[in-house]
């Protein structure tokens, strides 16, 4: 048999294509995030209320923020000129990855460097947002720190030029880079939050539970109704075929999915929060959300299996996992992945679910942090799964496409 080319042809082509597609899709989204980075939202805050320096129309805080805002860092940053309160609100809702803040009396502290009355080193604050993921927060921190360093060098040149011969060697050295950049956490998260990655892994668990549970239930129902063999090691059984149509079979699978998912999603929450100690607030809401998210995936799997038959497991794997992971925006910001993945993120389930999970775990369950959209997409996904699944089975039933399985003796 192994000498027959036809026996090798289909498995060879399919496994080769799968290996190639998986490699391109997974690695294509993570190979060079810095190169793909575009328009990362970062707040730009000027809290400096000092009087302008002599002969100038604006204080240094206004000059710095205006100069930074005009430079988008080669298209990598999307600067948002906000007040301190607005910036904090957007940090708390996950709308920005970080912030650059010019503190109060910044102009006065810089001017004091040219005198003998300097009491403190001028500072510019860089705020991070670890709830948006360690990589996204790090990219924002790199951009803001670089912008602050450039501002410091510019200020140093201006001060050195204004002092002229009055500046001694020590003063010139001090004024080379006179501003200290201080990095602080703008929106803190718990210490048991995996540096902002628990939201991604928790979402992945929900998707895997729905995906694997849906396939296990589908195979179990087919075996129980006599449409598939049950083979465990050397034991093989085949139950008598129950005469039901495809629509009735799908209804049974979806009802079982709704019941069994309640157990599996609860166990995911129990394992992560109670046993492993993952930081989580709003536990009742997280439990309801986990069940609905997992159920939507499970119903989608049942619909795809009903429509595509034996290929359904492969199709659902691509829909929920293969295409979902690189376009989720949970580990690498969507602003740092190629445009293909940003396009997928508009409708891929994992992105919608990860935004909702992140909002519950890190951002106080705020609707504008992604939870509102997540609930909407869960509802849309559930309706689409029911409509698509039953539309396909009713079509097959009307066309007389029965599941041609011989009745065992």
């Amino acid at each position: 048999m192994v000498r027959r080319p036809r026996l090798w042809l289909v498995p060879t082509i399919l496994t080769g294509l799968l290996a190639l597609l998986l490699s391109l899709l997974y690695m294509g989204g993570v190979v060079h995030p810095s190169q793909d980075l575009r328009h990362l939202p970062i707040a730009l805050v000027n809290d400096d209320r000092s009087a302008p320096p002599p002969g100038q129309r604006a204080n240094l805080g206004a000059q710095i923020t205006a100069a930074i805002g005009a430079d988008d860092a080669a298209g990598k940053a999307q600067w948002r000129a906000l007040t301190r309160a607005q910036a904090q609100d957007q940090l708390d809702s996950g709308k920005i990855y970080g912030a650059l803040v010019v503190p109060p009396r910044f102009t006065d502290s810089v001017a004091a460097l040219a005198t003998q009355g300097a009491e403190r080193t001028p500072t510019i604050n860089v705020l991070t947002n670890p709830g948006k993921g360690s990589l996204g927060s790090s990219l924002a921190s790199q951009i803001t720190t670089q912008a602050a360093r450039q501002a410091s060098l510019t200020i140093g040149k201006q001060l050195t030029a204004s002092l002229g011969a009055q500046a001694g060697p020590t003063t010139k050295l001090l004024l080379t880079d006179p501003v200290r950049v201080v990095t602080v956490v703008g929106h803190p998260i718990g210490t048991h939050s995996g540096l902002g990655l628990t939201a991604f892994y928790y979402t992945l668990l929900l998707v895997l539970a729905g995906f694997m549970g849906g396939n296990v239930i589908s195979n179990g129902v087919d075996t129980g109704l006599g449409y598939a063999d049950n083979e465990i090691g050397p034991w093989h059984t085949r139950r008598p075929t129950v005469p039901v149509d495809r629509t009735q079979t799908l209804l049974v699978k979806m009802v079982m999915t709704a019941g069994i998912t309640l157990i599996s999603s609860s166990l995911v929450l129990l394992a992560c929060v109670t046993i492993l100690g993952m930081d989580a607030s709003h536990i009742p809401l997280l439990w309801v959300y986990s069940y609905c998210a997992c159920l939507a995936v499970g119903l989608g799997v049942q619909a795809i299996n009903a429509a595509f038959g034996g290929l359904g497991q492969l199709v659902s794997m691509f829909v929920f996992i293969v295409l979902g992971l690189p376009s989720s925006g949970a580990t690498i910001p969507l602003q740092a992945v190629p445009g293909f993945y940003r396009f997928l993120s508009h409708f891929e389930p994992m992105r919608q679910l990860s935004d909702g999970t992140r909002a519950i775990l890190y951002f106080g369950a705020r609707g504008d942090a992604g939870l509102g959209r997540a609930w909407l997409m869960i509802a849309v996904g559930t309706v689409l799964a029911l409509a698509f699944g039953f539309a396909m089975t009713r079509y097959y039933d009307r066309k007389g496409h029965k599941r041609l399985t011989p009745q065992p003796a």
Side-chain angles (χ1 to χ4, degrees):
M1 292 179 64
V2 296
R3 294 178 181 177
R4 298 180 180 180
R6 291 185 178 180
L7 188 66
W8 291 77
L9 183 61
V10 174
T12 301
I13 293 175
L14 287 180
T15 53
L17 285 176
L18 282 175
L20 178 63
L21 285 175
L22 286 174
S23 302
L24 292 175
L25 290 172
Y26 279 152
M27 296 301 294
V30 303
V31 171
H32 33 64
S34 297
Q35 178 179 331
D36 292 322
L37 184 62
R38 294 291 183 275
H39 309 302
L40 193 71
I42 305 171
L44 193 57
V45 180
N46 176 27
D47 265 352
D48 186 12
R49 298 296 179 264
S50 305
Q56 300 184 30
R57 301 178 60 182
N59 60 30
L60 291 179
Q63 295 178 34
I64 290 173
T65 52
I68 293 175
D71 180 11
D72 62 355
K76 297 182 182 299
Q78 182 193 80
W79 297 108
R80 298 181 180 180
L82 304 173
T83 66
R84 185 65 180 86
Q86 290 172 334
Q88 189 61 54
D89 181 71
Q90 295 203 11
L91 285 168
D92 294 341
S93 60
K95 291 184 172 64
I96 55 176
Y97 285 83
L100 188 148
V101 180
V102 180
R105 297 188 60 193
F106 178 77
T107 301
D108 294 340
S109 62
V110 171
L113 293 176
T115 68
Q116 299 296 325
E119 299 178 356
R120 55 195 177 99
T121 303
T123 61
I124 292 180
N125 298 325
V126 170
L127 306 183
T128 63
N129 195 355
K132 295 292 287 182
S134 55
L135 179 59
S137 181
S138 175
L139 289 172
S141 179
Q142 292 175 18
I143 294 173
T144 50
T145 300
Q146 184 177 358
R149 289 295 182 196
Q150 185 60 46
S152 176
L153 295 176
T154 301
I155 292 173
K157 291 178 181 178
Q158 293 175 353
L159 288 175
T160 302
S162 65
L163 290 177
Q166 300 178 11
T170 304
T171 303
K172 289 182 177 179
L173 180 62
L174 174 65
L175 296 181
T176 302
D177 188 5
V179 179
R180 183 165 58 98
V181 180
V182 178
T183 301
V184 295
V185 177
H187 177 81
I189 59 177
T191 56
H192 295 165
S193 297
L195 300 177
L197 289 176
T198 52
F200 165 70
Y201 283 103
Y202 189 84
T203 303
L204 180 60
L205 288 172
L206 295 179
V207 172
L208 288 175
F211 170 77
M212 294 187 298
N215 284 310
V216 169
I217 293 169
S218 181
N219 294 332
V221 171
D222 287 341
T223 300
L225 297 179
Y227 290 93
D229 293 349
N230 184 24
E231 188 172 355
I232 303 176
W235 297 281
H236 172 267
T237 59
R238 178 68 176 275
R239 298 179 63 86
T241 304
V242 179
V244 295
D245 58 27
R246 293 174 181 269
T247 302
Q248 292 172 321
T249 303
L250 179 60
L251 180 61
V252 171
K253 292 179 179 180
M254 288 194 167
V255 170
M256 290 183 63
T257 299
I260 295 175
T261 298
L262 184 63
I263 299 174
S264 59
S265 60
S266 300
L267 290 175
V268 170
L269 180 65
L270 175 69
C272 293
V273 177
T274 304
I275 299 177
L276 298 177
M278 180 185 76
D279 285 326
S281 57
H282 308 280
I283 299 297
L285 175 62
L286 182 61
W287 177 71
V288 174
Y289 179 83
S290 301
Y291 171 70
C292 294
C294 195
L295 176 61
V297 174
L299 295 179
V301 169
Q302 301 297 3
I304 292 173
N305 287 346
F308 294 96
L311 287 176
Q313 294 186 15
L314 190 60
V315 174
S316 59
M317 182 185 73
F318 268 84
V319 171
F320 292 106
I321 298 176
V322 175
L323 296 176
L325 284 173
S327 62
S328 66
T331 54
I332 298 179
L334 292 175
Q335 293 83 0
V337 297
F340 172 68
Y341 299 97
R342 289 195 291 272
F343 167 74
L344 290 178
S345 69
H346 292 296
F347 52 85
E348 263 297 321
M350 191 171 292
R351 185 274 172 101
Q352 326 305 329
L353 300 182
S354 64
D355 282 354
T357 304
R358 182 187 285 122
I360 296 175
L361 293 182
Y362 306 148
F363 300 117
R366 292 178 53 163
D368 59 349
L371 184 58
R373 176 183 169 84
W375 278 122
L376 175 62
M377 297 305 289
I378 287 174
V380 171
T382 301
V383 171
L384 288 178
L386 294 173
F388 175 68
F390 285 113
M392 295 302 297
T393 55
R394 287 179 65 84
Y395 170 77
Y396 293 152
D397 290 336
R398 285 197 304 268
K399 289 293 184 178
H401 298 305
K402 297 182 180 180
R403 307 182 73 182
L404 300 177
T405 303
Q407 181 81 14

